[in-house]
């Protein structure tokens, strides 16, 4: 092709200007940013240390009451790659919620689904559609889409837990609905009823992750089991370790005991145990994940950047980044992901990756209050 003449160039510029005036844009000028060879998440790999958020959560308990209107005392993880949006990754809400002794977070429901993973404290229960679910450190509690839920604190310590929600996905689909319950606390019909029904059922965990092959069933339902106790997770991880003593790590996915699929239609929950002195094989998957360190200490290398972590720290692993995890002492991690959506839509991919040279070390933000 010969270079355009001056007249041709002028005509072309006029053409682009005319397109813009009537809200049209030519694909050929944007295709490289649109149809990228591989996913290019805006969210960055990032880490929020417990030693930074804990004192701030305690300040929130002193300074800000939990009331109707505000509804929840929640500090949301803000990934700096997302232009100020209150999301831990492009598809995932992650947050720290704190409830002081004797406080109540009022009952409401919303279309985004949520999971809670307890960090510390005692005496709190979350009531989900009338079923009061007791919470202890390491437990997972589900509050599925449109289920009434409120949190009530007894005890003397208050509680800190991790919230994972699918808010960015439901937001992107323009499907957010919210409704306050007429009462501050909904009536409690029963205690730990779902747990009693499903306790001891075999289908509560799957080895590894569910994957994404054509045989993967769609997961459009929320698990009827609302509480997964850490003791059961620990038992499963220990059994896997015993079965394969040379493995660097053991991983399970929490599953719906009725269907064997992910716990929520939009969110998967995972537990990863990395053994002392060992490193997981580097790999990449489509979909975002947010990790919470339940016990232990070590570091992860994400796209060549080293993230040192310890108990209570939270970190985001964006889609298709290469991630590997190393434990100094045995480390147990909880994670949420958007895998059910990717699986259901045929978008789930997983690939091994090369061992990564560490090119930088992440320095967490500490602020002045630390
Ligand atoms: O506990 O109900 O982190 O409604 C965000 C929204 C927690 C909750 C969050 C919520 C909740
Ligand atoms: Fe809520």
């Amino acid at each position: 092709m010969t270079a355009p003449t001056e007249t041709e160039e002028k005509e072309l510029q006029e053409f682009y200007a005319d397109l813009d005036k009537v809200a049209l844009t030519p694909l050929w000028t944007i295709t490289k940013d649109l149809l990228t060879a591989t996913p290019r998440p805006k969210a960055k790999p990032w880490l929020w240390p417990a030693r930074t958020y804990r004192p701030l959560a305690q300040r929130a308990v002193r300074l800000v009451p939990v009331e109707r209107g505000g509804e929840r005392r929640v500090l949301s993880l803000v990934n700096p790659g997302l232009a100020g949006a209150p999301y831990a990754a492009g598809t995932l809400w992650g947050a720290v919620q704190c409830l002081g002794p004797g406080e109540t977070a009022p009952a409401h429901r919303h279309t985004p689904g949520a999971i809670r993973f307890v960090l510390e404290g005692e005496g709190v229960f979350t009531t989900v559609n009338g079923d009061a679910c007791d919470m202890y450190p390491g437990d997972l509690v589900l509050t599925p889409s449109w289920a009434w839920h409120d949190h009530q604190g007894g005890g003397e310590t208050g509680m800190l837990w991790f919230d994972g929600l699918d808010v960015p996905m439901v937001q992107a689909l323009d499907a957010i609905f919210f409704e306050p319950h007429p009462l501050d606390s909904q009536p409690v019909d029963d205690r730990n009823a779902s747990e009693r029904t499903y306790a001891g059922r075999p289908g509560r965990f799957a080895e590894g992750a569910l994957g994404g092959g054509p045989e993967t069933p769609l997961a459009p339902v929320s698990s009827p089991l609302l509480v997964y106790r850490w003791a059961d997770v620990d038992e499963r991880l220990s059994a896997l370790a015993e079965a394969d003593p040379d493995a660097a790590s053991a991983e399970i996915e929490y599953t719906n005991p009725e269907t064997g699929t992910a716990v929520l239609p939009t969110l998967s929950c995972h537990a990863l145990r990395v053994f002392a002195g060992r490193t997981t094989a580097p790999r990449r998957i489509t979909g975002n994940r947010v990790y919470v360190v339940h016990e232990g200490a070590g570091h992860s290398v994400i796209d060549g950047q080293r993230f040192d972590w310890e108990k209570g720290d939270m970190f985001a692993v964006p889609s298709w980044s290469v991630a590997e995890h190393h434990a100094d002492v045995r480390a147990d991690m909880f994670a949420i992901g958007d895998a059910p959506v990717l699986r259901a839509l045929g978008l789930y991919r997983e690939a091994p990756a090369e061992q990564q040279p560490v090119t930088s070390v992440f320095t967490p933000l500490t602020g002045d209050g630390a």
Side-chain angles (χ1 to χ4, degrees), residues 72 74 93 95 97 108 110 114 116 149 151 161 163 165 178:
R72 296 293 184 265
V74 164
W93 169 281
Q97 181 160 169
H108 66 206
H110 36 70
R116 335 277 168 189
H149 57 283
H151 313 295
W161 67 83
D163 281 325
L165 282 87
F178 174 90

Side-chain angles (χ1 to χ4, degrees), residues 102-126:
E103 287 183 329
T104 295
H108 66 206
R109 63 179 176 178
H110 36 70
T111 45
I115 67 88
R116 335 277 168 189
F117 182 79
V118 182
L119 300 165
E120 56 188 68
E122 54 172 42
V124 172
F125 62 91
T126 291

